[in-house]
Amino acid sequence: MAKVSASGTNPYTKTGIRIVVAGDRGTGKSSLIATVEAKKFITNVPPVLPPTRLPDNFFSDFVPITIIDTSSRVVDDYKVAEELKQADAVVFTYACDEPSTLDRLSTFWLPKLCKLEVKVPVIVVGCKLDLKDENQNVSLERVMSPITEQFREIDTGIECSALKLRRIPEVFYCAQKAVLNPTGPLLNHKTLVLRPRCVRALKRIFILCDHDRDGALSDAELNDFQVKCMNSPLQPSEIVGVKCVVAEQLPEGVDERGLTLMGFLFLHTLFIKNGQTDAMWTVLRTFGYNNDIKLAEDLIPSSFKRAPDQSVELTNEAIEYLRGIVELELHNSNTLCVTRDGELGSHEIDDIFSTAAESPWEREPYLDAARTNAFGGFSLDGFLSMWAFMTLLDPALSMENMIYLNYPGDPSSAFRVTRKRHLDRKKQQTDRNVFQCFVFGPKKAGKSALLNSFLGRPFSDKYTSTIEDHYAVNVVDEPIGTKKTLVLREIPEDGVSKMLLDKESLAACDVAVFVHDSSNALSWERATELLVEVASHGKDTGFEVPCLIVAAKDDLDSFSMARLNSTRVSEDMGIVAPIPISTKFGDLNNVFLRIVSAAEHPHLSIPQTEAGRSLEQYQKLIDRTVVDFSDCVMV
């Protein structure tokens, strides 16, 4: 399985590779570049050469290579820094006859690269090998060992001679190879084990190649894998040889069915340790991975074509597929004598996403956005609601993870774009299953408490100011037996004005909820101001949304005239009366079901502002005048 072909997609075929050569004065930078271009030693080389372009067919990969020479003068330090920042790979030179120049790499040049935060492969090259003291019998590996231990970005060390034409092309071949087939993303140089993302990718590839799903690659499956990646079959003796190599060093890597996942991972670790990173990358690229060991961008749409007031949801088929994954995971857990009572633990969640680049829900805004169980995981409804949430916010990320989970067929068929919200209002109905509710309100009104209660979290008197938007997602059971996913998005008071600067800021909103502290008159006044502000913005931009008022802290004494004022305002604006709740005592008055109901009737509960009412009255006057005029003409 060491045969390598160019079947993997090469990510640099269009842009080429930029190699920057740097080092102390007199270490042979310019001679190195001039010699590789001319294929002979050049005397009287200029101090700094112009950019040198090697022919596209210089190496077998047919990748354009541009070599950048740099100055060693202190006054040109800024220019050198700029060149290093643009490099795909860096060649640092030292003179074999001057050990102090090698020391300078570890004391100056490599720290400089770190300071510039340039994270590219580094090739350390000892020039002037012909001048090296013959009495120095120290191996290059021993010389390089201290420096490579300190600077893990070093990919290779080479000694060469421009005068004797020794190993000159190899310098730039190694630089090209380090860019096209980098070792860093694959292997932890310190521990010599595969990096987590590499393991995840190989596990997914293994599952895709294990056609009979028996947990091992048979001889036929192993051969299919070889043909797919390398365009050449394995001979029966080669398959036996591969399994023998694995079995000798890792007995559990092979069983009676064939090569196990452990054996598959071990085999690829051997590839890397033996310097066959090109074979490893050929495998990864054949299955659609890029240099970050994530699915290549061309496999995932950057955006779904949709209007601002359309959203993306999972299809019923996709939901059933995810449901099947959960059931299989729970079955496997029960087989291991782990009782989950139909709920996933954090370990099961990790296992489900073990073929993804990383678990997508371990960062904001997904972190802590859903209700978790005693095992730190989710119920089936919680798991599906998180998928719905991810699909709503980032459909491309959802599709990427659907591919990681090996969704059968065309991944785009797992998603559907909903109808425009303004058409839903016109038709007075919606076919959406996922609703997003924006939660507005002044500080200390009880917005966060509302979100926490939605997730079943205990009430806390401790106040923490919300600085950035945060979310809560859960499933709401309707009386008729259907389930809807509701996403609550808390908007900090200080962020409302900035949000409304965007004309389309309300396009993604199905319902707007305005929370106020029913015991505080100032809280009510501010909530009313926000309601008018948001409603006016919706009217002006055409993205009107149903609005509800929530009177929080109903366990406290209401301020004077509270109910009268709130009722008058709701009546004036044509929306339902405020919904009193007490998150402290769990008296939520079916508020979440009422939010979903408002979203399902998008033509109702849309507030009328003074400006909107005046415009409507003016339009009615115009319409009436036109009718009267028409009647006169007919007479």
Side-chain angles (χ1 to χ4, degrees), residues 434-449:
V434 182
F435 299 112
Q436 183 169 195
C437 170
F438 288 12
V439 180
F440 298 94
K443 294 181 177 65
K444 300 183 179 182
K447 302 188 297 297
S448 297

Side-chain angles (χ1 to χ4, degrees), residues 31-317:
S31 292
L32 177 67
I33 299 170
T35 302
V36 75
E37 179 187 29
K39 298 183 181 179
K40 63 179 181 180
F41 181 69
I42 304 295
T43 57
N44 300 320
V45 178
V48 180
L49 294 171
T52 300
R53 170 72 179 266
L54 297 182
D56 292 358
N57 62 351
F58 196 88
F59 297 120
S60 59
D61 293 280
F62 293 94
V63 179
I65 293 177
T66 301
I67 306 172
I68 306 298
D69 195 7
T70 57
S71 171
S72 302
R73 301 190 307 168
V74 176
V75 293
D76 294 325
D77 186 66
Y78 176 77
K79 293 181 181 179
V80 175
E82 290 303 307
E83 293 291 0
L84 291 173
K85 290 177 183 179
Q86 299 178 53
D88 293 311
V90 173
V91 171
F92 280 138
T93 60
Y94 69 93
C96 289
D97 60 333
E98 294 184 46
S100 60
T101 57
L102 176 59
D103 295 336
R104 280 270 296 170
L105 294 185
S106 58
T107 59
F108 178 78
W109 288 105
L110 286 160
K112 178 184 182 72
L113 203 65
C114 294
K115 187 176 181 181
L116 293 172
E117 296 184 349
V118 176
K119 298 179 181 179
V120 298
V122 173
I123 311 298
V124 173
V125 179
C127 299
K128 305 182 182 182
L129 180 59
D130 53 288
L131 299 179
K132 186 175 181 179
D133 188 348
E134 295 182 357
N135 294 323
Q136 287 185 320
N137 294 321
V138 181
S139 66
L140 177 62
E141 183 179 355
R142 184 176 174 184
V143 170
M144 290 293 300
S145 180
I147 193 171
T148 53
E149 282 292 324
Q150 185 179 359
F151 299 97
R152 295 294 177 181
E153 56 268 47
I154 295 175
D155 188 270
T156 309
I158 302 174
E159 290 181 333
C160 65
S161 169
L163 180 64
K164 301 294 184 180
L165 302 182
R166 291 177 60 184
R167 304 186 74 182
I168 298 299
E170 187 177 344
V171 169
F172 298 99
Y173 175 74
C174 288
Q176 180 207 59
K177 184 179 177 181
V179 174
L180 296 180
N181 306 302
T183 306
L186 306 175
L187 194 73
N188 184 316
H189 289 287
K190 200 167 188 177
T191 61
L192 295 181
V193 298
L194 294 175
R195 293 192 181 277
R197 189 174 287 183
C198 184
V199 172
R200 289 167 171 264
L202 289 174
K203 180 179 179 180
R204 174 174 172 263
I205 292 169
F206 179 88
I207 292 172
L208 288 172
C209 296
D210 182 17
H211 303 303
D212 58 10
R213 298 292 186 267
D214 66 347
L217 298 184
S218 65
D219 291 359
E221 289 168 337
L222 200 56
N223 188 60
D224 289 343
F225 167 75
Q226 171 77 10
V227 171
K228 181 179 178 67
C229 296
M230 309 302 177
N231 288 331
S232 61
L234 286 170
Q235 298 301 316
S237 60
E238 292 178 306
I239 295 177
V240 171
V242 166
K243 292 195 292 186
C244 283
V245 168
V246 174
E248 286 175 3
Q249 301 187 53
L250 187 73
E252 61 268 35
V254 179
D255 62 20
E256 67 280 359
R257 297 164 299 171
L259 190 71
T260 66
L261 174 60
M262 292 298 293
F264 190 71
L265 295 173
F266 176 76
L267 186 63
H268 286 83
T269 305
L270 284 183
F271 283 164
I272 303 170
K273 289 181 178 179
N274 292 335
Q276 294 177 290
T277 54
D278 47 354
M280 180 70 180
W281 279 109
T282 297
V283 170
L284 291 171
R285 288 172 185 144
T286 298
F287 284 87
Y289 289 90
N290 60 20
N291 272 20
D292 295 321
I293 317 187
K294 297 185 68 175
L295 287 175
E297 292 181 2
D298 58 352
L299 296 178
I300 308 164
S302 57
S303 62
F304 286 71
K305 291 183 179 180
R306 63 189 189 277
D309 61 343
Q310 289 179 291
S311 59
V312 181
E313 295 184 3
L314 295 171
T315 61
N316 290 333
E317 291 76 14

Side-chain angles (χ1 to χ4, degrees), residues 511-524:
V511 181
V513 166
F514 298 84
V515 182
H516 70 277
D517 178 351
S518 59
S519 69
N520 188 317
L522 293 178
S523 180
W524 160 247

Side-chain angles (χ1 to χ4, degrees), residues 349-398:
I349 297 294
D350 290 341
D351 191 56
I352 287 174
F353 286 113
S354 64
T355 54
E358 56 261 324
S359 180
W361 301 340
E362 292 181 354
R363 62 177 186 269
E364 297 293 349
Y366 308 104
L367 192 64
D368 295 328
R371 185 172 188 166
T372 55
N373 55 34
F375 308 112
F378 306 111
S379 64
L380 175 60
D381 279 348
F383 180 79
L384 294 177
S385 69
M386 281 296 289
W387 268 96
F389 178 39
M390 179 167 61
T391 305
L392 178 74
L393 290 194
D394 195 343
L397 179 64
S398 185

